[in-house]
Structures are given as C-alpha cells and as structure tokens.
Amino acid sequence: MSVSPSHPAEGGQFALLRQRRFAPFFWTQFLGAANDNLFKFAFTVLVTYQLQVSWLPPALAGLVIGALFILPFLLFSATSGQLADKLDKKTLIVFVKRLEIGIMALAAWAFFTTHIPLLLLCTFLMGLHSTLFGPVKFAYLPNHLSERELTGGNGMVEMGTFVAILLGNLAGGLIIAVPEIGAHHVGFSCVALAVIGRITAQAVPATPATDPGLTINWDPFTETWRNLKLAHGNTVVFRSVLGISWMWFFGAVFLSQFPSFAKEVLHGNEQVASLLLIVFSIGIGTGSLLCEVLSRRHVEIGLVPVGAIGMSVFSIDLYFASRGLPPASSLGLGEFIAEPAHWRVLADLTLLSLFAGLYSVPMYALIQMRSQPTHRARIIAANNILNALFMIASAVIAGALLSAGFTIPQMFLLVGLANAVVAFYIFMLVPEYLIRFVAWVASRLVYRFKVRGDEHIPTQGAAVLVCNHVSFVDAVLLMAASPRPIRFLMDHRIFKVPLLGWLFQLSKAIPIAPQKEDAQAYESAFESALAVLRDGELLAIFPEGGITRDGQLQPFKGGVVKILEMAASEGLHLAVIPMGLSNLWGSYFSRVEVRNGEAVAMVRPFRRGFFSRVGLCVGEPMALSDVTLERLRERVRALIG
C-alpha cells in the first residue's frame, strides 16, 4: 500500500504536479471532467440551436440532459462507494476510463448520425462514468498525500475540475458551431479525450483496497440508506457532508441562471453569459488554491466560516449591483465590459465563487481525514448522493421562485440570506468550525503567529501537549497550530472570562479546581482527562497552574505527572509533546499591567500595536518513561528561547 509522506513536498501544491503519486491522477480526473462537459454542452447546443426535435423542445433540452446526467448519482453512488472500498483504486480508475472510451465511441456514432435517443443514453452513461469515478476521486488522495498536503491536493483537484468544466463547455460550444462538420468533430474530440485519459490512468500508482473482504450489496436503495447512516455515525463528518451539499445547492442556483441573468438582467448576448461562467470558474479555482496558503498547509476548517461569510456578503451585494442597470439592447462582450456598472457585478461573482472555494476545499479534506479508511469511499458516495439531491432541490426551488414572480436578482438575494442562516445553523451544530475560525482569526489577524516544529504534533493517536501559560489566548493559539481538535485541562476561573469562557465551553475544555477548593471537581477533571486519552485524542495541559504574572516560567505542578501515571497504569500508548509560546508577554491578553497592586490583563487593547509577532515552538515527543516534572519543565524552557 502507498504510504503518505510524513513531510510535504517542497514547493507546495504545484510541486505535486511533478510527482507520480498525484500528477497522473490529476490529469485523469481533469480529462474526464473536460470530456463530460464538452459532450453535454455540445449536445445541448445541437438540440437547442441546430436541430428541431418535436419531442425535445429547446426550452427543456438543458433540463433533460442535466437530469439524465445526474440520475446515476442517485441510483449508483452507493454501489460505486462499495467498489472503491473493495477494489484497488487504480484498477477501478482504469476500468472507468475504458468504459469512457466505449461510451464516447457510441456517442461519436450518435453525433455522426444525429441520433438523439442514443445521445440521451450516452448522457446517462457518462453520468454513470462520473458516478463510478466520484468516490475514487476523493478516497484516493488520503492514501498518497500527508495531512499537510491534503488541503493543497484537494485545492488542485477542485481548481482542475472547474477549469476542466470551463474548457469543456467552451470547446463544446466552439466545435459544434463549425458548419456541417461540427457534430463529427465533437465525436472525434470526445473519443480522443477518453483515450488520453486512459493513457494517463495507466500511470496512476496502485492503491490497494481498504476493505477487500467487503460483500457488495447491489440493492441501491438499501445500500444508499446504509451509506447515509454510516456517514451519520460521525457527527463532524456528516455535518460537513451537509455543508458541501448546501454549497452545491448554492452554486447550482447561480450556474443554472447565468444564461437568463446575462440576457434578461445584464442585457448581454451569449458571449456575456460565457464571461459569467469564466469569472465564476476562475473564482472557484482561485479560492481553492488559496486554501493551502491561508491554512499553512494544514486541514484548516477555520476557513469554512470565512467562506460562508463571503458567499453571503457578495451574493447579497450582487442583488444590489444588478438593480437599476441602464436598459440596453443585446450587448456584446466589449460593450458590456465598457460599462463601469457591470464591473461590480463581475467583482461580486468572482468573490462569491472565490469564497465558495475557501468554503468547500477544507470540508472535503476534513471528510477525507476524519472518515474511517475502510469506509471512506462509501461515505464519499453518501456525500455524492446528497449533493445530487440538493442540486435537484435547487432546480425545483429556483423554478418555483421564478414561477411565483421572483426576479433572478431577488433569487440571488434569497440564496445569500439563506446561506447565512444555514451556515450559522451548521456552525452551532458543529462548534469545531466556529472554534477553528476564532483561532484562525487570532493567529492571522490579531497576531503574526509563527509555528516551528508543528510536524511533531501527531495527526493520529493520543498525546499530551504540555505548554507554558502566558496569556488568556494561549489555548486559542494552540488550536490554530494543531491540525486536530485539542481538549484542554484548564483552570476553572478562566471559564468566567466573557467570550473566552464561552469559547472554551464550546471546545469542551475540562475545568479543574484546586483540590483544597473542590476535591470532587479536582478528581472529576482527571477522570475526564484520562477519558480523552483513552479515546485517542489530544489533551493539552498548562502545568504552571495559571497564567504567569511576571512573564517568567513558573514551577510545574504535579497534575501532569499524575495524568501520565494514570495513562501508563492503563497501558495507554501516547507521546508527550513539549511546547513553548514566546513573545506573548506584554500583549493585551497577558497580565502585564498592574492595577491596585494586582497583575491584570486586557486593560490596554493596543499596547503592542497591531499584528505583533508571537510564536510557538513544538519540541520532539518525549517517551512516557522519560518524563519527570523537572525534565519536562526544562524542555519547555528551552523551547521558549
């Protein structure tokens, strides 16, 4: 089985395109997405503009073709998820690309003879091809990319998919428009792309099955229900699946309305409609690629609220930007761009799609990282099923709103407002998104936060993180540095601090009181901490017992050793990770001010200015047997510098 590298490749996400573990897979999925859209768009143009088919009027052609393509996702995603878990993923990819060649050969003959029923069958079969490839597409990456590469890899795939959709649509429209021989050339092009895709698939490295003993359930209905229950078993994963499905609902509203929006609202021609698609695709691709930069090459779900906020803000502004545009006849591309009022529309579309990329990529990466490997493809299949259902619901609701007299800008406004409500609901159900958002803001917008040695934080298994305690936001900064959720053992008094106390309650921090003050709460805290380690999670402790009042490292209390001894007595295997926070003393959240002889914090907001530099140094793991209180303190002291 391919083993993910422990350290990401130098050069970031684009460097993956030079590596066999990623490049052949990337180009295979890119060519498949391009072929899907070249075929669909060329077919739509054929029956809309070039042929008169009495039983398929132009107004319904796009809807029928889209419905036929998405139907296999509902019928066969459950089966494809099982196949992706049971079989070597390369074997399945090669089979899918062979199937694509056969489908495209049949489609080429149908284009040559303008056989519309056969082209409709090929549309359904290409939907089946994409359905089979979908679970493999996202289950493949975690087997070949490390945690620090997963966001970048997903960003590349998401960017590649939307660029392929764009190029496929543009190529399909241009080729089918060639007089007399356009349909023939579409057939040749589809077969050529399928053959090239089959060649690149051959270079994809083997990825052995994650559950080879799985017995396939061929009943799509019972298996679909089973997959949904499987996804529902992990709350964070399931809510992320719902979040991605909502993003497809949101995006489908815009993509489906671009032609009408360009014609009826912006008074533009077909070239303007194409420009909207280009702008939207560029925005999605840019946002997807930015995820790696903004997440510091971790799976950073704190970007999801950032994306949700941007999606709502710019879709709502699109409503205002498209109101009261001057009346005009059908504008060409040059005339449209020459009008300054249209620039705001294009900016809104670019930015709302950019934020949609920031929203979706971390969610995909989170599902991949948190799903049980033996069931990963089936959970992704459940995601595809819900995506299809949400896109169908999007079409139905959009049609109902238009029939009820809503304008297209009003529909964009409603979707933007609904996005804010849905996002808030999801973030309240899964506080981890909100917590990571606060940590992301604190580490990038409040401070300039630099982390060294974060590769020592384990991506799997139990560990105890031991850090010095300088300020009220130490825990927030540790959250920002870790790719995984952290449970904190914290002084019970910090829970009384406004806002921070609420945040730590959301993060399920464990309050601890001095034994003399509340013996029962003291013992309960240790039992809760041990339960965290039993569950294979990360536990963080500030062993000084409180925030420093003079900026110096205080003596360590014995609680950390007690927890380690309890873990050792149960035979738990865990690492102890020393950490050192630096440059936080003197910041607003540290107890640097003295009032009435008492060291206090949070009294002079800008005493260090904006974006002050702070850091975290993570040391190499210590074995349980090597830990003593003094040795641990010396390691933390050395990391503080």
Side-chain angles (χ1 to χ4, degrees):
M1 181 173 178
S2 177
V3 179
S4 300
S6 58
H7 301 285
E10 293 297 324
Q13 60 206 94
F14 289 101
L16 293 172
L17 289 175
R18 300 192 296 270
Q19 300 179 29
R20 185 180 168 226
R21 62 195 170 108
F22 182 81
F25 165 79
F26 173 86
W27 291 114
T28 299
Q29 67 86 28
F30 180 92
L31 291 164
N35 212 5
D36 281 344
N37 287 277
L38 189 156
F39 167 79
K40 283 193 300 175
F41 196 71
F43 181 25
T44 303
V45 172
L46 179 70
V47 294
T48 303
Y49 294 102
Q50 299 181 5
L51 294 179
Q52 298 299 319
V53 183
S54 59
W55 50 272
L56 187 63
L60 287 178
L63 181 62
V64 171
I65 291 169
L68 277 175
F69 186 82
I70 207 169
L71 183 59
F73 284 90
L74 293 174
L75 296 177
F76 304 116
S77 283
T79 304
S80 65
Q82 294 177 88
L83 292 172
D85 277 333
K86 182 178 178 63
L87 303 175
D88 182 306
K89 290 174 180 56
K90 176 180 179 175
T91 301
L92 192 53
I93 290 172
V94 169
F95 168 78
V96 169
K97 302 318 286 184
R98 286 174 176 164
L99 178 64
E100 183 184 1
I101 292 174
I103 296 168
M104 289 293 93
L106 188 63
W109 186 81
F111 272 118
F112 296 162
T113 59
T114 60
H115 196 301
I116 303 304
L118 190 55
L119 284 171
L120 289 173
L121 173 63
C122 290
T123 301
F124 178 84
L125 292 175
M126 282 305 286
L128 175 61
H129 151 270
S130 295
T131 301
L132 290 172
F133 190 75
V136 182
K137 173 180 174 179
F138 288 106
Y140 172 90
L141 292 176
N143 289 281
H144 295 272
L145 303 183
S146 69
E147 182 273 331
R148 299 189 71 189
E149 294 172 314
L150 205 51
T151 294
N154 275 285
M156 291 293 291
V157 169
E158 193 84 348
M159 176 276 298
T161 298
F162 275 88
V163 170
I165 290 171
L166 173 63
L167 294 178
N169 283 332
L170 292 176
L174 291 172
I175 296 171
I176 195 70
V178 177
E180 298 183 8
I181 57 172
H184 294 184
H185 285 182
V186 169
F188 290 134
S189 300
C190 288
V191 172
L193 284 176
V195 170
I196 298 170
R198 169 65 185 87
I199 293 170
T200 58
Q202 193 61 41
V204 172
T207 309
T210 53
D211 191 3
L214 176 66
T215 301
I216 302 293
N217 174 17
W218 297 102
D219 182 342
F221 302 104
T222 59
E223 187 59 29
T224 293
W225 182 246
R226 186 185 300 174
N227 281 3
L228 290 173
K229 288 201 298 184
L230 196 64
H232 191 266
N234 185 319
T235 301
V236 174
V237 167
F238 185 68
R239 299 284 156 72
S240 299
V241 166
L242 290 178
I244 289 172
S245 297
W246 169 255
M247 192 275 292
W248 282 105
F249 179 104
F250 179 92
V253 169
F254 289 90
L255 289 170
S256 64
Q257 296 304 318
F258 277 166
S260 298
F261 182 58
K263 180 180 179 181
E264 298 172 15
V265 179
L266 303 180
H267 315 297
N269 61 12
E270 297 89 341
Q271 291 178 326
V272 174
S274 296
L275 175 64
L276 300 184
L277 177 63
I278 291 170
V279 163
F280 194 85
S281 299
I282 290 173
I284 286 277
T286 304
S288 300
L289 293 178
L290 278 175
C291 285
E292 184 184 63
V293 177
L294 295 176
S295 66
R296 293 201 180 109
R297 306 184 76 178
H298 281 302
V299 176
E300 179 51 84
I301 62 174
L303 292 176
V304 175
V306 177
I309 292 167
M311 289 162 65
S312 284
V313 167
F314 291 106
S315 55
I316 291 169
D317 190 66
L318 183 61
Y319 163 74
F320 292 103
S322 54
R323 290 178 65 197
L325 291 174
S329 56
S330 183
L331 298 174
L333 187 59
E335 296 170 305
F336 177 81
I337 295 175
E339 176 58 55
H342 295 148
W343 299 353
R344 180 177 169 188
V345 172
L346 294 177
D348 282 335
L349 274 176
T350 302
L351 290 168
L352 77 86
S353 57
L354 184 150
F355 279 99
L358 292 180
Y359 175 92
S360 63
V361 168
M363 279 196 171
Y364 276 117
L366 180 73
I367 291 171
Q368 292 164 335
M369 191 172 74
R370 300 279 182 90
S371 297
Q372 188 176 340
T374 54
H375 298 79
R376 186 181 287 133
R378 277 168 282 174
I379 289 173
I380 291 167
N383 173 64
N384 291 343
I385 294 165
L386 287 175
N387 290 174
L389 288 172
F390 272 64
M391 290 172 72
I392 291 169
S394 171
V396 171
I397 293 172
L401 289 173
L402 292 172
S403 300
F406 282 80
T407 65
I408 294 173
Q410 286 172 340
M411 193 159 58
F412 292 165
L413 173 65
L414 283 177
V415 171
L417 294 172
N419 180 71
V421 173
V422 170
F424 180 78
Y425 178 67
I426 290 176
F427 301 148
M428 287 298 98
L429 285 176
V430 188
E432 188 179 342
Y433 284 111
L434 193 58
I435 292 163
R436 296 292 302 196
F437 170 66
V438 172
W440 186 84
V441 169
S443 63
R444 289 160 177 80
L445 302 182
V446 177
Y447 295 109
R448 282 184 289 175
F449 184 48
K450 183 176 182 179
V451 183
R452 292 180 295 150
D454 55 335
E455 68 274 8
H456 296 313
I457 303 174
T459 55
Q460 292 180 335
V464 175
L465 313 180
V466 180
C467 189
N468 60 318
H469 206 0
V470 190
S471 77
F472 282 97
V473 294
D474 293 350
V476 175
L477 293 175
L478 293 192
M479 290 177 199
S482 172
R484 296 166 59 194
I486 302 174
R487 297 285 300 278
F488 290 89
L489 189 66
M490 304 180 72
D491 189 316
H492 69 112
R493 288 168 294 188
I494 203 169
F495 289 85
K496 298 176 183 177
V497 177
L499 191 60
L500 283 175
W502 173 76
L503 181 68
F504 295 140
Q505 286 177 349
L506 275 183
S507 66
K508 298 180 181 178
I510 303 166
I512 184 169
Q515 189 172 21
K516 294 178 181 178
E517 185 177 321
D518 190 336
Q520 185 176 354
Y522 178 80
E523 293 300 330
S524 176
F526 283 101
E527 285 300 324
S528 298
L530 191 60
V532 169
L533 298 175
R534 287 194 199 104
D535 292 340
E537 299 181 57
L538 297 179
L539 175 71
I541 301 174
F542 299 107
E544 294 166 89
I547 298 172
T548 180
R549 295 176 182 274
D550 58 7
Q552 301 302 310
L553 184 66
Q554 306 301 304
F556 281 9
K557 298 186 182 301
V560 61
V561 172
K562 179 177 179 178
I563 290 173
L564 295 177
E565 288 174 347
M566 292 169 68
S569 68
E570 292 197 9
L572 297 179
H573 298 285
L574 53 90
V576 180
I577 315 294
M579 295 178 160
L581 284 164
S582 56
N583 295 331
L584 271 163
W585 180 250
S587 72
Y588 170 65
F589 294 102
S590 67
R591 287 179 166 147
V592 68
E593 301 290 344
V594 178
R595 293 289 188 271
N596 300 321
E598 180 73 15
V600 294
M602 296 181 278
V603 292
R604 290 176 55 196
F606 306 112
R607 68 183 317 279
R608 284 256 297 256
F610 294 97
F611 306 116
S612 60
R613 294 180 183 273
V614 299
L616 174 70
C617 187
V618 184
E620 294 184 3
M622 298 175 67
L624 211 56
S625 57
D626 293 339
V627 175
T628 65
L629 207 57
E630 192 55 39
R631 191 175 296 168
L632 192 55
R633 186 171 182 270
E634 286 306 312
R635 288 287 297 275
V636 171
R637 184 195 295 278
L639 294 169
I640 296 171

